[in-house]
Amino acid sequence: MTSNKKFVSSKLNKFMHQRNPYRTPPSFKKLALNYPEFRKYCTYDLGGKVHLDFKNPKAVRALTTCLLDQDFGLKVSIPDDRLVPTLPLRLNYLLWIEDLLTHAAHYNSEHCVLGIDIGVGAACVYPLLGAQHFGWCLLGTESDEHSYQSAHTNVQNNNLQAKILLKKVESNIFFKNLINDEEVKRWMLKCKLRKKAEVSESLQNCEARKAQTAALDSLSRVEFGNGQLKDEECSTYLYDFTMCNPPFFSSEEEADTMKKTRKDRGSPVSAPTGAIHEKVTPGGEVSFVTKMIDDSQLMKDKIRIFTTLIGTKANIKPIKGALSAASPSCSVVTQFCQGRTMRWGVAWTYDSALQLDQVRSKKEMVTNKPLVLMMPRSLMTVYSVQAAWTMVKKWLHQLKVKVRVLKSSKYFVSANVKAFKATWLHQRRKKRQGTRKAVSTHSDEEIGNISLVDESANSTISSKTDTMEETCVENMEEQMMSKDQLGGDHDSDTKTNECGDGVSAEHSMSSCQASCLRVNSPDTESQATTPHNHAQQSSKLIQDREEPMLNTGKVERLECILRCNLQMKQSGALVSMEAYYLDGSAGKDGLNQLLQFMRNQLLRPTV
């Protein structure tokens, strides 16, 4: 007898972030052995497999708290009437932010990462994971008193007060009033100074450490101007990122309706948890995120990257419209996949140096079908992945593209390629031009060899030329001396020279030069005049290039026309290369053309 209940597998797990530890489901058996509070909610089948009743909110709460303790060393208490966070989704969100920070080039061991979490909830899971697992410092807000007290207790129980500051705020308070708070300013500077002290501790002596301690003790004397710290070590932006998990629905009725919109989704696997204010907000998440976007325009110079979570796919389009009205420098929407659940993340920035859309989700990369180039065995002396990659890398360097190897082993090579010019195009034309240039050079060499036969005659002519040049110079010197000996009124002399002596001098000089040029051979003439002309042309060319830059005051950035990932791998007995298009103005056609260039190189006969 078949069941009417539809079974939906956890097929989205393969699209989870590659660094998410829960891509491999946790062992319930191990948790049951180590945590009695989890074991009491477990059942066992005849094969000894452990099962958990996800319909029981207490079982879901026990699972989350035990995983936080086992995998991250966090002691977390969650009230019965508050939202129980799902760790795979929370980690996907945090790992994506980490990718954005890495792309922003402001994330290294010496930089103190400062973030803001709008609405930490009772578990305070984002700040706790951010501080414990990623080493960040986070400022968190909460409007509900009960959730605020619970989050404050969780921070204290894990001794993370130095890295986490919680502020009790009113509803819909986002960034402006929060950042300008004096307590927040002092905490932010304290985090920056502490990070500098931690980085330099191994390199400094005891006196330096005492000086750093004194700096920490003198925080009250630090001045603030226009909301910015007067600290030379502070970055331009006070905060690196913001994050938020807003309420999804505008009413409880909407939440019930959303459960029934898709009949093929099946019944919920996990029991619903959370208070009403954690799930419902006036206007829903579209209104909530729109207010956040409006507030971000006021803090565009103090926060580098703004992010938020979106729970409903239908809300992405209106949120994109709100973002377009705010005119950020760049914005991006990504997907978070875990189990049977999909969520979306939105990030935007007003920093023109950032291209956030270059950070792509696992699903986007996996579902992007690659272009495949098979490496023929007959055209390679050594048939291996490393030999094939050496050949491909040589071609790429020939094209002057940027290559960065991501992973390299005996049977697999992965690399990222960036191209700023389509150097792989018109290769035949370039080859023909090179051939013509080589032929022309060869002809010039033959003419040079012929001219060497008349070397003795040219030397005689050269001596005559030198004699006539000396005569011209002597005549000019005599005329200049006679001009200096005239004396008298300077103006009248000048006028006379302009009408008489000057003309005769110029005429005599030009006649001497003409006689010299008549004696000189054409080759000698070109050698005498070409360097000077080239110098003038080069000077004019440099001036023409510099004038637009001086007028605009800006230097244009090179645009990346093609960015792709190449994967060289062993496929059975064959070696293949898979090319994944990521982005760039050249599009997938550009990637096709790049692979066509490589095919031509493979088929080109070797000399």
Side-chain angles (χ1 to χ4, degrees):
M1 185 175 179
T2 60
S3 174
N4 293 330
K5 188 181 295 185
K6 293 185 178 182
F7 175 75
V8 181
S9 63
S10 304
K11 61 181 180 179
L12 292 180
N13 278 352
K14 63 181 180 181
F15 299 129
M16 290 174 68
H17 196 284
Q18 56 268 26
R19 297 195 304 276
N20 196 321
Y22 297 117
R23 292 180 67 187
T24 302
S27 172
F28 286 177
K29 186 175 183 179
K30 182 180 178 181
L31 283 173
L33 290 174
N34 296 332
Y35 296 94
E37 63 272 27
F38 177 77
R39 185 166 58 244
K40 64 182 180 181
Y41 299 110
C42 296
T43 57
Y44 307 87
D45 58 19
L46 295 177
K49 187 175 180 179
V50 180
H51 299 272
L52 185 70
D53 182 14
F54 285 92
K55 298 290 186 180
N56 186 347
K58 294 183 178 180
V60 176
R61 186 175 297 105
L63 173 62
T64 298
T65 55
C66 292
L67 286 176
L68 285 169
D69 182 50
Q70 173 187 265
D71 299 332
F72 305 100
L74 291 170
K75 307 291 184 182
V76 178
S77 175
I78 306 174
D80 293 342
D81 56 345
R82 290 297 182 265
L83 182 68
V84 178
T86 54
L87 293 185
L89 171 60
R90 268 61 182 179
L91 283 170
N92 274 344
Y93 189 6
L94 289 169
L95 288 166
W96 178 59
I97 291 177
E98 186 181 37
D99 291 340
L100 295 175
L101 294 175
T102 303
H103 170 70
H106 269 260
Y107 183 50
N108 53 63
S109 58
E110 297 184 3
H111 178 65
C112 177
V113 175
L114 285 172
I116 301 176
D117 181 19
I118 304 298
V120 297
C124 195
V125 64
Y126 284 127
L128 290 175
L129 287 172
Q132 183 82 346
H133 188 61
F134 297 91
W136 303 337
C137 294
L138 283 105
L139 168 65
T141 68
E142 181 54 53
S143 59
D144 179 68
E145 179 64 29
H146 186 32
S147 297
Y148 171 77
Q149 293 298 334
S150 175
H152 193 270
T153 301
N154 286 325
V155 172
Q156 287 184 327
N157 290 343
N158 291 280
N159 296 319
L160 291 173
Q161 302 93 316
K163 290 187 175 182
I164 299 174
L165 175 66
L166 300 180
K167 292 290 293 183
K168 177 70 169 59
V169 297
E170 300 296 328
S171 300
N172 294 336
I173 296 296
F174 298 111
F175 314 120
K176 182 179 179 181
N177 296 332
L178 185 67
I179 291 178
N180 293 330
D181 184 83
E182 291 298 326
E183 180 186 2
V184 171
K185 293 178 182 178
R186 288 192 293 270
W187 171 82
M188 179 178 59
L189 179 59
K190 191 173 181 180
C191 290
K192 289 180 178 289
L193 292 178
R194 180 180 295 106
K195 184 63 178 180
K196 289 188 292 182
E198 291 173 356
V199 170
S200 59
E201 184 175 2
S202 59
L203 304 176
Q204 303 295 330
N205 53 24
C206 295
E207 294 182 359
R209 285 198 292 271
K210 289 180 181 179
Q212 290 168 352
T213 304
L216 290 173
D217 294 337
S218 61
L219 292 175
S220 59
R221 296 193 295 272
V222 176
E223 296 180 355
F224 299 89
N226 298 326
Q228 283 190 322
L229 296 173
K230 292 184 178 180
D231 181 14
E232 61 182 5
E233 296 296 333
C234 290
S235 61
T236 305
Y237 294 89
L238 301 183
Y239 290 87
D240 296 279
F241 71 92
T242 69
M243 62 186 310
C244 180
N245 187 359
F248 293 158
F249 309 110
S250 59
S251 63
E252 292 187 75
E253 292 76 13
E254 182 185 358
D256 294 335
T257 303
M258 291 296 295
K259 295 178 183 178
K260 304 174 183 178
T261 53
R262 285 186 52 186
K263 298 180 180 180
D264 58 341
R265 183 175 294 180
S267 59
V269 174
S270 183
T273 60
I276 185 64
H277 71 273
E278 295 179 299
K279 297 182 289 185
V280 174
T281 184
E285 65 180 349
V286 173
S287 176
F288 190 94
V289 175
T290 300
K291 294 176 183 176
M292 188 185 303
I293 293 171
D294 294 339
D295 207 27
S296 71
Q297 297 182 69
L298 304 175
M299 295 288 108
K300 64 174 67 176
D301 297 327
K302 296 180 175 59
I303 301 174
R304 196 157 201 221
I305 302 173
F306 301 85
T307 73
T308 185
L309 202 67
I310 299 179
T312 306
K313 187 176 182 179
N315 293 335
I316 295 177
K317 186 174 181 179
I319 289 175
K320 279 186 174 181
L323 267 177
S324 178
S327 300
S329 298
C330 183
S331 62
V332 64
V333 177
T334 191
Q335 297 169 319
F336 302 131
C337 304
Q338 49 280 314
R340 296 175 52 191
T341 305
M342 182 179 291
R343 293 290 183 263
W344 294 265
V346 178
W348 66 97
T349 180
Y350 299 95
D351 185 356
S352 59
L354 290 186
Q355 298 295 325
L356 301 180
D357 52 353
Q358 294 185 8
V359 179
R360 304 172 72 87
S361 68
K362 178 72 173 177
K363 186 175 183 182
E364 289 176 302
M365 295 171 59
V366 170
T367 55
N368 183 14
K369 292 184 179 180
L371 301 175
V372 181
L373 176 63
M374 301 302 299
M375 314 301 289
R377 185 187 296 272
S378 58
L379 298 179
M380 297 175 59
T381 55
V382 179
Y383 197 70
S384 67
V385 170
Q386 287 296 330
W389 170 245
T390 301
M391 183 169 55
V392 170
K393 185 167 63 172
K394 180 181 178 181
W395 299 335
L396 295 173
H397 287 166
Q398 176 185 342
L399 296 174
K400 297 180 181 179
V401 300
K402 187 176 180 181
V403 182
R404 182 167 62 95
V405 177
L406 305 176
K407 185 178 180 180
S408 179
S409 64
K410 185 177 180 180
Y411 300 106
F412 180 80
V413 175
S414 176
N416 179 261
V417 175
K418 288 183 179 179
F420 299 92
K421 290 184 178 180
T423 52
W424 52 86
L425 296 180
H426 310 302
Q427 287 295 316
R428 293 182 179 177
R429 182 189 304 173
K430 293 176 183 177
K431 186 177 179 180
R432 289 195 298 267
Q433 291 174 353
T435 304
R436 294 192 188 113
K437 186 176 180 181
V439 172
S440 176
T441 305
H442 182 66
S443 301
D444 293 341
E445 291 177 355
E446 291 180 350
I447 294 173
N449 293 333
I450 295 173
S451 64
L452 289 176
V453 178
D454 299 329
E455 182 178 358
S456 58
N458 289 338
S459 62
T460 304
I461 296 173
S462 178
S463 63
K464 294 181 180 179
T465 303
D466 295 338
T467 303
M468 297 194 67
E469 286 180 353
E470 291 177 0
T471 304
C472 292
V473 172
E474 290 176 358
N475 293 336
M476 289 297 298
E477 289 178 351
E478 291 178 359
Q479 293 175 3
M480 295 300 294
M481 289 176 64
S482 63
K483 176 184 174 182
D484 294 337
Q485 293 173 358
L486 289 176
D489 190 7
H490 184 271
D491 294 335
S492 61
D493 291 340
T494 304
K495 186 175 180 180
T496 304
N497 289 335
E498 290 175 354
C499 299
D501 293 345
V503 174
S504 61
E506 291 176 1
H507 176 71
S508 61
M509 185 61 184
S510 61
S511 62
C512 292
Q513 289 176 347
S515 61
C516 292
L517 292 177
R518 282 195 296 270
V519 174
N520 287 339
S521 64
D523 293 339
T524 308
E525 178 186 353
S526 62
Q527 291 175 3
T529 58
T530 301
H532 180 65
N533 293 338
H534 284 180
Q536 289 182 340
Q537 292 174 0
S538 300
S539 177
K540 187 175 185 305
L541 182 60
I542 292 173
Q543 184 179 5
D544 293 342
R545 289 181 178 178
E546 288 181 349
E547 283 179 357
M549 296 175 64
L550 293 175
N551 293 334
T552 59
K554 296 181 181 179
V555 178
E556 294 184 1
R557 294 180 59 199
L558 289 177
E559 178 190 1
C560 180
I561 64 169
L562 178 64
R563 194 169 70 94
C564 63
N565 281 343
L566 301 181
Q567 293 184 359
M568 191 77 66
K569 60 177 65 177
Q570 188 86 34
S571 302
L574 299 176
V575 175
S576 65
M577 186 186 71
E578 297 179 352
Y580 295 85
Y581 170 76
L582 298 180
D583 53 50
S585 57
K588 290 188 177 180
D589 290 339
L591 183 57
N592 267 315
Q593 293 162 355
L594 176 60
L595 259 66
Q596 185 59 49
F597 166 80
M598 296 185 183
R599 291 189 188 97
N600 295 339
Q601 295 296 312
L602 280 173
L603 298 176
R604 189 178 64 178
T606 57
V607 180

